[in-house]
Each structure stands twice: as C-alpha cells, then as structure tokens.
C-alpha cells in the first residue's frame, strides 16, 4: 500500500506541544464559544491578509454563503441576481450562491491556469449580473488586471473564494484582501488547516463585517436580541487556538510547498504529463500540484504500484452532478476536459527529499 496522499498526523505533530498547551488553556478558561481565542485569531488573520476585519465561522462554505446573505440583507443583492463563477470549481462555491437564491452563471476556465478565463468574463455579463466569485483554485490567484477592469466598468462585487489560497499574493497583496470580501476554509487539509471544520470571512467593509458577525450568531449582535433570521456558524475557541499556533508558520510552510513544486516542475520530464502553468511565484501557494494526462487511470494505477498515492480534485464537474441535474445537458468542453484528465500529485510538506524524488522518478518512468 502507498503512503497517505497527505499525512495530517505528521503535519500537525510539528506543532504538538504548542497545540496541547493551547488546548489546556482553552479547557481551563471555561469559555468555548466566541471568546478570547477567536478574537485573537480574527485579529491576527485580518492583519496577515491585510484587511480590517476577519469573522470566524464554522466552514468555508458558510463563509461564502454568509457573504452573499449579508449583501442581500444590506440591499446590495436580491433573489435572482446573477453571479459569475468558474465552471470547474468545487461545488461549495456554487452552493453558496444557490443557497441564497441567486443565479450562478458558469464561466469556462483557462485550460492553463484552471482559473476563470478572463477573456470570457465580459461576454457572460447580463443586465442581471451583480457579482463575480473568483476561485483561487489549487492555490493560484484567479484575479487578473482584466477582471479588475471589468469589475470596475460594470460596478460588480468582487468576491474571492480563497479556500485554497492562504498566503498567495497578487501585486503584493495577499488573498483575502483583493476584492470586496473573501471566504476562507480551514478544513484540515488546507494550507492553514484546523483540527476540524472552520472558516472565515475577510473584508474591509465595516457594514458587511457587522452584518456577518450577527448572521453567524443567530442574527444577533446582543444576547437574545435578533436583528436577522440568522444561523449558527461560529468558529469555536479550540479551532481558533489551533489556527493561531499554525498561522505563525504559514509563510514557512508555503515556502516549502513552493520548493516541492519547483522540484517537480524542473524535474518531471514525461511528455505524457502536462505540468501546471504558473502566472508568478508569489501568486501560487500550491495547495495542490495538478498535472493532466490522457491516461489518468493507468497513470494513477502505475503510481499506486510504486507506492505513491494520488487524488483527483475533482472528478465530476458541478454541471454534471445529480444535485444540479438542470445543468446536466450543458456542454462545457474545457471544464469537462480538465475534470477528465487531472491528477493531483502528493504536495505534503512532511515529505522527505527521498519521497519527493520518488514521485519525480515514477512520473518520468511512466510510459
């Protein structure tokens, strides 16, 4: 059997003593929801991203969903408004739109970057378009200068799905500070991962932040007084404490990801594999290292036999999911090509140099 695709135990053991100390501190505090640890993490992560506000919530999906919900409460969006979104994203991006009875408009990606194709954005805009949700897929920033110009031209809201891009930069600014608001996931496998589910919204908009803080807490700013019909979506004290520990090492860990990706890109020479295209070094934090190959099943089987686990992020595009059967008839050839041919190679910062070389050798010997 191959080693795990991602060894979370090894990753988290590096912070074991600090995490234990934090957990004991939280336990002894007697305060487990929306306390000091959440406040400290929110302030630290906002500073890291370069925003005024960070609001901790229960998951990355909730982060995005609450952004749209807050804009509806604020009167900036209404039911039926259209939101442009890349067609090849993880389904959560789209669920955040449909949950608010907004209308997703699927835009094909750029086959090179896997991010939304900037040349197809403007032609997808209608009189109902109010926002664009840009997904920084696999850890690479999806915003471009052309997209920024389009957003300004049409007065659109620019929302980041930064679930996979903690620390990635565009023009020197970090993901989370590039649009009107951003949603992050702290799922355990993410570059900044908790020991369970967690998420956050970052924004410079005071009104949006205030609205989301209420919505995440039953619609309440003050105990037993409810302004909105909110939900329960709060980052808990334990996860916030763990994230505060790991945030201190995020830049170092991202640099290690870049080192592994650099080695892969420079040394994998098999013409059967299409390697990732990189816009710039700062723009990519390598949440996943994704290659394409026509012989995906055979390639994965070969690596498995060599003791190397792989994954597919993601095998079925949203428009072919049963959940969106109303879209099943759609033909989105670039999206479908990507989903049929992509393979994620191990991107685990706990790998040894020998492990990394083994992946490269196996890729090169595949025929």
């Amino acid at each position: 059997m191959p080693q795990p695709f991602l060894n979370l135990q090894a990753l988290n053991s590096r912070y074991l003593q600090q995490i234990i100390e934090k957990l004991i501190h939280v336990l002894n505090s007697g305060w487990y929801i929306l306390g000091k640890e959440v406040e400290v993490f929110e302030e630290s992560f906002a500073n890291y991203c370069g925003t005024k506000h960070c609001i901790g919530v229960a998951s990355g999906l909730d982060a995005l969903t609450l952004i749209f919900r807050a804009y509806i409460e604020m009167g900036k969006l209404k039911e039926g408004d259209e939101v442009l979104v890349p067609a090849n994203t993880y389904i959560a991006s789209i669920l955040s739109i449909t949950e608010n009875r907004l209308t997703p408009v699927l835009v094909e990606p750029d086959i090179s970057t896997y991010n939304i194709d900037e040349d197809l954005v403007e032609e997808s805009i209608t009189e109902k378009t109010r926002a664009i949700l840009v997904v920084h897929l696999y850890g690479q920033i999806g915003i471009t200068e052309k997209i920024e110009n389009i957003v300004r031209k049409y007065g659109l809201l620019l929302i980041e799905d930064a679930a996979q891009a903690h620390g990635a930069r565009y023009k020197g600014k970090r993901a989370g500070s590039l649009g009107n608001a951003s949603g992050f996931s702290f799922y355990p496998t993410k570059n900044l991962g908790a020991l369970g589910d967690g998420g956050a919204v970052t924004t410079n908009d005071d009104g949006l932040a205030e609205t989301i803080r209420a919505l995440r807490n039953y619609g309440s700013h003050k105990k037993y007084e409810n302004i909105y019909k909110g939900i329960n979506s709060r980052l808990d004290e334990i996860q916030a404490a763990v994230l505060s520990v790991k945030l201190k090492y995020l830049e170092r860990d991202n640099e290690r990801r870049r080192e592994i990706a650099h080695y892969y890109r420079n040394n994998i020479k098999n013409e059967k594999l299409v390697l990732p295209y990189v816009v710039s070094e700062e723009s990519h934090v390598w949440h996943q290292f994704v290659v394409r190959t026509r012989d995906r099943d055979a390639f994965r089987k070969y690596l498995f036999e060599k003791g190397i686990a792989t994954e597919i992020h993601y095998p079925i595009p949203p428009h072919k999911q049963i959940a969106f059967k109303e879209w099943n008839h759609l033909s989105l050839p670039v999206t479908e090509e990507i989903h049929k041919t992509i393979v994620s190679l191990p991107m685990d910062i706990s790998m040894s140099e020998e492990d990394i070389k083994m992946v490269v050798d196996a890729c090169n010997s595949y025929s």
Side-chain angles (χ1 to χ4, degrees), residues 15 49 55 95 101 163 166 239 242 301 310 318:
Y15 322 110
C49 293
I55 306 99
L95 291 174
R101 298 186 178 180
H166 313 71
Q239 300 304 342
V242 170
K301 182 174 182 291
T310 58

Side-chain angles (χ1 to χ4, degrees), residues 16-36:
L16 182 60
Q17 191 55 45
Q18 293 179 71
I19 288 174
I20 289 173
E21 290 172 5
K22 278 284 191 180
L23 296 181
I24 292 171
H25 175 76
V26 172
L27 179 64
N28 289 337
S29 76
W31 194 299
Y32 308 130
I33 299 291
L34 292 187
K36 188 64 176 177

Side-chain angles (χ1 to χ4, degrees), residues 151-192:
V151 166
R152 284 192 290 269
K153 178 179 178 180
Y154 292 93
L156 305 179
L157 294 169
L158 176 58
I159 300 164
E160 298 174 72
D161 181 341
Q164 301 182 4
H166 313 71
R169 290 178 183 265
Y170 171 73
K171 296 181 179 178
K173 296 172 63 178
R174 286 198 178 103
S177 66
L178 306 176
N180 298 93
S182 307
F184 284 91
S185 168
F186 303 125
Y187 187 74
T189 61
K190 296 296 192 284
N191 291 36
L192 180 61

Side-chain angles (χ1 to χ4, degrees), residues 308-351:
I308 299 167
T310 58
E311 292 287 348
I312 302 173
H313 298 97
Y314 305 92
I316 305 173
H319 73 285
K320 295 300 183 183
Q321 298 282 0
I322 295 172
F324 288 115
K325 55 183 179 293
E326 67 271 24
W327 291 342
N328 288 174
H329 69 285
L330 294 178
S331 174
L332 296 167
V334 178
T335 294
E336 289 160 23
E337 171 71 12
I338 289 170
H339 284 260
K340 283 189 296 189
T341 57
I342 51 173
V343 179
S344 297
L345 300 181
M347 177 52 69
D348 183 340
I349 59 175
S350 69
M351 288 193 298

Side-chain angles (χ1 to χ4, degrees), residues 140-245:
Q140 180 158 230
I141 296 292
I143 293 171
T144 67
E145 194 165 325
K146 185 170 185 176
I147 290 173
E148 289 182 302
N149 291 336
I150 291 169
V151 166
R152 284 192 290 269
K153 178 179 178 180
Y154 292 93
L156 305 179
L157 294 169
L158 176 58
I159 300 164
E160 298 174 72
D161 181 341
Q164 301 182 4
H166 313 71
R169 290 178 183 265
Y170 171 73
K171 296 181 179 178
K173 296 172 63 178
R174 286 198 178 103
S177 66
L178 306 176
N180 298 93
S182 307
F184 284 91
S185 168
F186 303 125
Y187 187 74
T189 61
K190 296 296 192 284
N191 291 36
L192 180 61
L195 299 185
D197 271 319
V201 175
T202 56
T203 184
N204 287 314
D205 186 327
D206 296 340
L208 182 72
E210 183 180 13
T211 305
I212 292 174
R213 287 191 190 281
L215 286 171
R216 71 169 176 181
N217 190 37
Y218 300 100
S220 174
H221 282 300
K222 185 178 179 182
K223 194 172 185 180
Y224 302 133
E225 295 182 14
N226 303 81
I227 304 171
Y228 311 107
K229 297 173 183 175
I231 63 172
N232 176 8
S233 179
R234 303 172 299 204
L235 182 67
D236 68 63
E237 288 286 281
I238 288 177
Q239 300 304 342
V242 170
L243 290 166
S244 288
V245 170

Side-chain angles (χ1 to χ4, degrees), residues 3 6 9 12 39 77 113 143-144 156 160-161 175 187 199 201 203 210 243 247 252 290-291 294 351 360:
Q3 295 294 315
L6 181 62
Q9 183 180 14
N12 288 312
E39 290 178 9
L77 292 174
T113 65
I143 293 171
T144 67
L156 305 179
E160 298 174 72
D161 181 341
Y187 187 74
V201 175
T203 184
E210 183 180 13
L243 290 166
L247 178 58
R252 182 197 68 184
V290 177
V291 301
R294 294 286 179 186
M351 288 193 298
V360 169

